[in-house]
Amino acid sequence: ETGVTQSPTHLIKTRGQQVTLRCSSQSGHNTVSWYQQALGQGPQFIFQYYREEENGRGNFPPRFSGLQFPNYSSELNVNALELDDSALYLCASRTGGMGYGYTFGSGTRLTVV
Amino acid sequence: SQQGEEDPQALSIQEGENATMNCSYKTSINNLQWYRQNSGRGLVHLILIRSNEREKHSGRLRVTLDTSKKSSSLLITASRAADTASYFCATVPYGNNRLAFGKGNQVVVIP
């Protein structure tokens, strides 16, 4: 059903470690966003990239960083992991402007212990 | 921060009944979107309504938007067991390019 693929599906890391989450979007989807979803909550916007440039950022510290590549793939990097970073991380992409809906990946479930 | 606020938070209905969810928001918007999420996995885009639209239909879905009250409703007609999911409204605030999600509405359709 979705044209956005995220990896890995699940991940367990230790507090203080670094993690890289990956997303592969559909061809032509030049806008990609990342969201953090805590259990029982709605997704929270982390940042957005358009044609490999960051063009929006939510209320997340600088240890959350990202990259978007020309092949429509992207990464979310989190340094110095904290217990509160445990969540479902969702990648979403779209083609066209803000008048279009997003296609979401199935997410990466990150657990920090 | 979360902008959309759905009401009610949880809804349990019999198959064949209609399900209605409401969403309110605080700022001016470019558009409002509804998404479905099954079992804590990825979200599926259901429908988008622009700020200059008042009502939109897609299959069994009907969305209304009242910008004067800053509210929207999602109606699912003739519900099915497969409609069991969490439903989120998300706004694209005016002058912004991100989705601001509400807390979600859990719907259980009993066969």
Side-chain angles (χ1 to χ4, degrees):
Chain A
E1 165 175 47
T2 178
V4 177
T5 304
Q6 291 188 243
S7 62
T9 306
H10 296 84
L11 196 56
I12 300 175
K13 302 290 278 188
T14 303
R15 188 172 49 182
Q17 286 188 313
Q18 178 267 344
V19 69
T20 297
L21 309 182
R22 294 183 170 82
C23 173
S24 177
S25 300
Q26 293 176 225
S27 178
H29 280 208
N30 47 30
T31 298
V32 65
S33 303
W34 285 88
Y35 291 82
Q36 180 195 65
Q37 186 179 22
L39 204 59
Q41 300 294 316
Q44 293 277 324
F45 175 76
I46 302 175
F47 45 59
Q48 179 165 285
Y49 282 80
Y50 175 70
R51 292 184 175 176
E52 302 159 54
E53 295 286 334
E54 184 180 297
N55 73 342
R57 189 175 182 91
N59 189 26
F60 281 82
R63 59 189 185 83
F64 284 78
S65 63
L67 286 171
Q68 184 187 24
F69 303 101
N71 64 352
Y72 304 107
S73 65
S74 62
E75 289 180 354
L76 164 64
N77 299 289
V78 187
N79 293 322
L81 284 166
E82 301 177 359
L83 297 180
D84 285 348
D85 295 334
S86 295
L88 180 68
Y89 289 86
L90 295 161
C91 168
S93 66
R94 69 164 192 231
T95 184
M98 62 177 71
Y100 292 83
Y102 283 82
T103 300
F104 278 79
S106 295
T108 294
R109 174 74 63 187
L110 173 65
T111 303
V112 182
V113 297
Chain B
S1 61
Q2 300 269 33
Q3 172 161 250
E5 295 283 344
E6 288 93 346
D7 178 6
Q9 295 282 304
L11 184 63
S12 183
I13 58 174
Q14 294 289 331
E15 200 166 32
E17 293 181 337
N18 295 342
T20 300
M21 289 154 270
N22 298 305
C23 168
S24 61
Y25 56 92
K26 296 183 174 69
T27 66
S28 297
I29 62 171
N30 181 288
N31 64 67
L32 184 145
Q33 304 177 28
W34 285 90
Y35 288 82
R36 184 186 74 226
Q37 185 176 40
N38 291 85
S39 303
R41 302 308 295 176
L43 283 80
V44 175
H45 179 255
L46 296 176
I47 196 164
L48 179 153
I49 186 165
R50 293 180 169 79
S51 61
N52 61 352
E53 297 176 314
R54 292 297 166 258
E55 188 172 314
K56 204 163 183 179
H57 296 255
S58 176
R60 294 185 295 114
L61 305 178
R62 173 178 169 257
V63 171
T64 63
L65 179 65
D66 187 336
T67 53
S68 67
K69 295 181 179 178
K70 290 186 168 58
S71 67
S72 173
S73 69
L74 171 67
L75 168 68
I76 305 174
T77 61
S79 62
R80 305 167 182 168
D83 294 330
T84 295
S86 293
Y87 292 82
F88 292 89
C89 78
T91 58
V92 176
Y94 186 76
N96 216 316
N97 60 0
R98 64 194 64 180
L99 288 172
F101 282 90
K103 294 178 182 176
N105 216 316
Q106 188 169 2
V107 175
V108 175
V109 181
I110 303 166

